[in-house]
Amino acid sequence: MNPVVLIFLVFYYVVVVGIGFWAVKKGGAKDLEGYLLGGRKVGPLVTAMTLQSTSMSGYMFLGGGSAGYTTGYWSIWYAVGDIGGGVVNLSVIGRRMRKLSKILGSLTSIEYLEHRYPHAATRLISGSLSVFLLFFYVLAQFIAGGKGMALVTGLPYGAALAIAVGIIMLYTFMGGYFAVAYTDFFQSMVMVIGMIWIFAATMINVGGFTAVNESIAQIDPTYLSIWGKDLANQYAWSDLLGAVLIFSVGYMGWPHVVTRHMAMESPKTARLAGVYSTIWNLFFVTAPYLLGIFAIIVLPNLADPEMAIFTLASELLPAAVTGIVMAAIMAAIMSTADSILLQVGTIASRDIFQRFFHPKATDHQMVWVSRILVLIFGIVGLIIAVFNPPGVFAVTIFTTSVLGSAFLPAYVCAVWWKKANTPGALSSIIGGALSAFLFEKLGTGIDPMLGGLIVSWLLIIIVSKATQKSHPVADYIVKAMDEAIKIGPIPKDMLAKSDFNLAQEASGINKKIDK
Amino acid sequence: MPDNKETTSVKTKINLIPGTINENDAKNIVSKYSEHHSVQVQKLIYYPYYWFLFSFTVKTLFGKSRSTKASCLVDLINNHAATTDSFDIAEKEVLTAGILEQDYTQEQALKTAKTYLMHSSIHNMKVLFAPDSEILKQSLVHKPFWIVKCTNRDRHSFKVIVDAVTGKFQVL
């Protein structure tokens, strides 16, 4: 344990808690009220920083580094998909979904699925599946936090994990009011500084890309291959496609990512957001994988590859700076974990508990359900992470594969294919999740993401076509889709500048005109 | 039975969110983005909302937050809610024919507004504590929209609504 590192980490937590306390007591500026209540946004810098930083998680620092360390340049395939993921996501479903969800009046992504594919089973299955899989994603954050804390404090993993989970839970419950806007911004600043610092320090240490590649070639030239160490994935096109797909399109299955589309202002802002996210991703998405590759030279005998970035920081940086980098890693873990925990709480309370068990549940009862569930998740997650901790990389890839396979065709067809109906969507969600799971467990040689996606796409197309007569898509949904698509002799500029927020008024006026 | 002319000139008093965008402004806004189209302002309509001004506080681990005001408009045709900036309300007589009929009641609107605020506070404020809310003001209000028709050389046309308060628009 290095006391200076620990002091900096503790100082970081004190600042985060201090900001929360100050913000609650002070209240907030008027603009922040709008931001927090979903009406408006704070400045573009804060918005962009906050949004992008929430996509940085424990996976980036542990999973990304581990993939780079163990497979070499093969791991960059994951980054390739991720770099363009934001743009693909926004272009394919973002704009249309924003309008359709507004017209249908959906508040959550699960509710949106039920509105588009009307049946109670849509919400029950989608909600349960999301809660189950998001739990594993939270688990990955817990493990990442525990490992980091163990390195910093020198405590045994179990004790360090308990502290990390405690901090994450406290942070989740601490949320509230203006604290969120300020702490999110502060956390994102720490993440940016920490990542740039460790990357620059490692780059200087290894002497640049050419030097690092020459050194790696001496250890094992296959690290430099696009097929991975020992050419383990040579001509394994399924694995390669799966690696690219996982974060390029897999994100479309994440409920908390998809929900972001429902808050866009206009197609123009959506386009700008896509550009910003690509620029951001070029560095921040590739950096962890590259750091893992650099670590092959700096830390040739690392026992746990997931510790690559943590150990690089403690080996190469002065203690005080290591404390900042550790704080950045904890910031990524905490800001992801609390968002997912809240998302899970909402899905469980609103989409499952209120919808199916207690339709007259009061707001207070629903909040209690959320809170209890978050606590249960924390305790169960802690137990699993102590006794049988899976790898952060493996858990994240597995969760994304299953979520992507389950939901991607349903979300895409929701806005692009008017014949996609409820039986088609349900069979695709169930079949996609199940097949991705089986491809993973049975080890067929087919990448779970790729296999799962093929199955779920086939199911939504075949079942929707086969059941068109018995389960036609309701007229009001087709009409809403037409409004969301808005094809016809409309100038592009006009569509680009249209305000998404007026979509529901446009729908209301159309209803009255039709009458 | 009144004739058509009388019907269209009948006026009703409503609580209006006054707009500053006049007919000419609406035409200019749409014309800017629809070159090669002939632009024609068709009419002014009044869209019904129920407006609630809530005051609410949230319990946090650091104690109760200061009370905050949240202004919420519920669209009475779709029953969807949204938070909004503060605005003025003026009582005004307008042509009855331009007022869109509401499909939802105040009671339904209140339920929708509360659900929406609850959802927003949990998600955007990341709270696991239910906010305590109180209604400070409420009223049935109408917002003016211009309906503008654009026609191209091939006589294909489309319509646009222009928010007479903000000048923002959306294709119908």
Side-chain angles (χ1 to χ4, degrees):
Chain A
M1 175 173 67
N2 185 326
V4 179
V5 176
L6 193 59
I7 287 168
F8 264 80
L9 194 61
V10 170
F11 176 68
Y12 160 75
Y13 285 127
V14 170
V15 171
V16 171
V17 172
I19 290 173
F21 182 76
W22 168 77
V24 167
K25 293 300 169 196
K26 173 189 169 276
K30 265 206 157 184
D31 275 357
L32 276 173
E33 288 180 21
Y35 164 72
L36 294 167
L37 292 172
R40 283 163 287 145
K41 301 271 182 285
V42 283
L45 174 68
V46 178
T47 308
M49 292 279 289
T50 309
L51 274 179
Q52 288 302 325
S53 63
T54 50
S55 65
M56 289 173 79
S57 67
Y59 166 78
M60 301 271 297
F61 290 94
L62 275 85
S66 161
Y69 190 82
T70 51
T71 66
Y73 278 100
W74 155 265
S75 62
I76 298 295
W77 287 119
Y78 291 98
V80 167
D82 208 349
I83 288 169
V87 173
V88 173
N89 212 334
L90 282 165
S91 313
V92 177
I93 57 173
R95 276 173 266 179
R96 290 185 178 201
M97 181 180 170
R98 170 66 172 104
K99 272 181 100 171
L100 190 61
S101 63
K102 184 87 181 165
I103 294 166
L104 295 174
S106 320
L107 287 180
T108 67
S109 54
I110 303 294
E111 192 174 64
Y112 165 76
L113 278 177
E114 192 192 15
H115 287 160
R116 172 60 183 84
Y117 304 112
H119 197 282
T122 311
R123 195 185 285 214
L124 184 64
I125 292 166
S126 308
S128 311
L129 197 59
S130 298
V131 167
F132 177 71
L133 290 164
L134 288 177
F135 167 73
F136 285 98
Y137 198 60
V138 172
L139 180 66
Q141 307 306 315
F142 284 176
I143 296 165
K147 285 189 174 185
M149 198 57 80
L151 186 82
V152 175
T153 58
L155 288 169
Y157 168 71
L161 179 76
I163 294 172
V165 172
I167 289 171
I168 291 170
M169 300 297 285
L170 188 72
Y171 185 67
T172 309
F173 278 87
M174 191 189 90
Y177 251 42
F178 311 106
V180 176
Y182 294 119
T183 51
D184 274 1
F185 181 63
F186 174 70
Q187 299 250 55
S188 59
M189 288 298 292
V190 172
M191 275 183 243
V192 170
I193 293 168
M195 183 60 105
I196 291 173
W197 211 320
I198 178 68
F199 190 81
T202 313
M203 195 63 144
I204 291 166
N205 184 276
V206 296
F209 276 105
T210 310
V212 89
N213 289 343
E214 283 168 5
S215 303
I216 288 177
Q218 284 171 11
I219 297 173
D220 182 348
T222 59
Y223 274 124
L224 303 176
S225 157
I226 60 161
W227 302 113
K229 187 178 182 299
D230 300 330
L231 304 179
N233 302 303
Q234 191 162 27
Y235 307 125
W237 296 105
S238 157
D239 290 346
L240 193 149
L241 255 176
V244 176
L245 284 174
I246 196 97
F247 294 126
S248 56
V249 297
Y251 275 145
M252 285 189 234
W254 285 97
H256 64 292
V257 174
V258 171
T259 304
R260 276 191 221 145
H261 297 318
M262 294 157 74
M264 280 189 299
E265 282 169 29
S266 74
K268 199 187 167 207
T269 52
R271 209 171 296 153
L272 272 177
V275 173
Y276 290 147
S277 77
T278 306
I279 294 169
W280 171 282
N281 288 348
L282 272 173
F283 174 71
F284 286 99
V285 163
T286 46
Y289 297 98
L290 290 173
L291 283 171
I293 295 168
F294 297 162
I296 297 170
I297 307 296
V298 185
L299 311 162
N301 301 312
L302 196 59
D304 180 359
E306 293 202 327
M307 299 303 285
I309 297 179
F310 278 120
T311 319
L312 275 180
S314 59
E315 293 281 322
L316 301 180
L317 299 172
V321 182
T322 307
I324 294 174
V325 173
M326 292 298 178
I329 297 172
M330 289 309 291
I333 292 166
M334 283 158 61
S335 64
T336 301
D338 83 322
S339 293
I340 305 279
L341 280 168
L342 285 163
Q343 185 79 24
V344 165
T346 304
I347 294 172
S349 62
R350 182 178 164 82
D351 294 323
I352 300 176
F353 175 72
Q354 189 190 37
R355 176 74 174 77
F356 297 102
F357 298 103
H358 196 348
K360 289 185 178 168
T362 63
D363 290 347
H364 282 79
Q365 285 170 324
M366 286 189 28
V367 168
W368 267 110
V369 171
S370 287
R371 270 190 252 175
I372 290 167
L373 200 93
V374 167
L375 274 176
I376 291 172
F377 264 42
I379 294 164
V380 176
L382 182 63
I383 293 167
I384 296 175
V386 168
F387 292 105
N388 192 16
V392 173
F393 180 79
V395 172
T396 307
I397 297 296
F398 168 75
T399 312
T400 311
S401 296
V402 181
L403 276 169
S405 302
F407 292 115
L408 191 145
Y411 278 123
V412 173
C413 290
V415 287
W416 284 93
W417 193 35
K418 287 179 199 163
K419 286 188 175 171
N421 62 9
T422 307
L426 279 175
S427 56
S428 169
I429 291 169
I430 298 168
L434 205 62
S435 56
F437 180 79
L438 289 176
F439 280 124
E440 171 75 29
K441 290 294 156 202
L442 300 179
T444 54
I446 298 171
D447 182 82
M449 180 80 190
L450 184 66
L453 274 179
I454 292 171
V455 171
S456 59
W457 271 111
L458 284 175
L459 281 171
I460 200 165
I461 294 167
I462 295 168
V463 177
S464 291
K465 286 206 168 214
T467 56
Q468 274 306 295
K469 279 191 182 164
S470 56
H471 295 83
V473 179
D475 280 349
Y476 74 93
I477 294 174
V478 174
K479 225 170 186 182
M481 286 180 74
D482 280 336
E483 280 190 51
I485 295 164
K486 280 285 178 256
I487 42 174
I490 304 164
K492 273 187 182 174
D493 249 16
M494 172 73 75
L495 288 175
K497 295 282 168 65
S498 290
D499 187 352
F500 280 142
N501 289 314
L502 293 176
Q504 82 186 30
E505 278 83 356
S507 159
I509 291 167
N510 269 334
K511 273 184 205 166
K512 296 293 171 186
I513 289 173
D514 286 351
K515 271 187 186 172
Chain B
M1 190 155 168
D3 64 22
N4 196 35
K5 199 175 172 186
E6 279 177 7
T7 311
T8 52
S9 62
V10 173
K11 289 192 170 184
T12 304
K13 215 177 243 181
I14 57 170
N15 284 329
L16 187 71
I17 303 173
T20 52
I21 306 292
N22 62 31
E23 187 174 345
N24 209 28
D25 296 333
K27 189 176 177 177
N28 289 338
I29 288 168
V30 175
S31 299
K32 197 174 158 190
Y33 301 107
S34 51
E35 283 178 1
H36 314 301
H37 284 73
S38 91
V39 176
Q40 181 199 356
V41 178
Q42 289 196 313
K43 60 178 170 179
L44 185 62
I45 56 156
Y46 302 93
Y47 201 100
Y49 299 89
Y50 217 93
W51 169 66
F52 300 96
L53 182 65
F54 290 99
S55 157
F56 69 99
T57 51
V58 179
K59 284 176 215 148
T60 74
L61 288 183
F62 302 120
K64 224 171 182 180
S65 68
R66 285 190 178 187
S67 75
T68 296
K69 285 176 187 164
S71 179
C72 186
L73 277 178
V74 181
D75 162 353
L76 293 177
I77 296 178
N78 296 302
N79 197 26
H80 298 165
T83 43
T84 170
D85 288 330
S86 58
F87 50 78
D88 298 325
I89 299 175
E91 202 175 56
K92 200 178 168 188
E93 266 197 344
V94 300
L95 289 174
T96 308
I99 303 172
L100 298 184
E101 193 188 336
Q102 66 188 68
D103 295 335
Y104 290 88
T105 63
Q106 178 205 352
E107 202 179 318
Q108 288 166 315
L110 178 60
K111 203 176 160 197
T112 304
K114 282 191 164 178
T115 304
Y116 180 79
L117 275 183
M118 181 74 182
H119 171 82
S120 296
S121 60
I122 287 177
H123 268 271
N124 301 327
M125 298 180 188
K126 294 186 176 178
V127 287
L128 279 171
F129 298 86
D132 296 322
S133 63
E134 183 193 343
I135 301 171
L136 298 177
K137 287 178 189 170
Q138 56 180 310
S139 169
L140 172 68
V141 296
H142 287 79
K143 191 174 176 185
F145 285 92
W146 292 101
I147 296 191
V148 183
K149 188 177 180 185
C150 302
T151 311
N152 68 10
R153 286 177 202 148
D154 302 329
R155 295 200 174 177
H156 291 301
S157 63
F158 63 92
K159 287 181 181 172
V160 179
I161 53 165
V162 179
D163 184 330
V165 179
T166 63
K168 291 180 175 175
F169 60 86
Q170 176 63 252
V171 182
L172 269 184

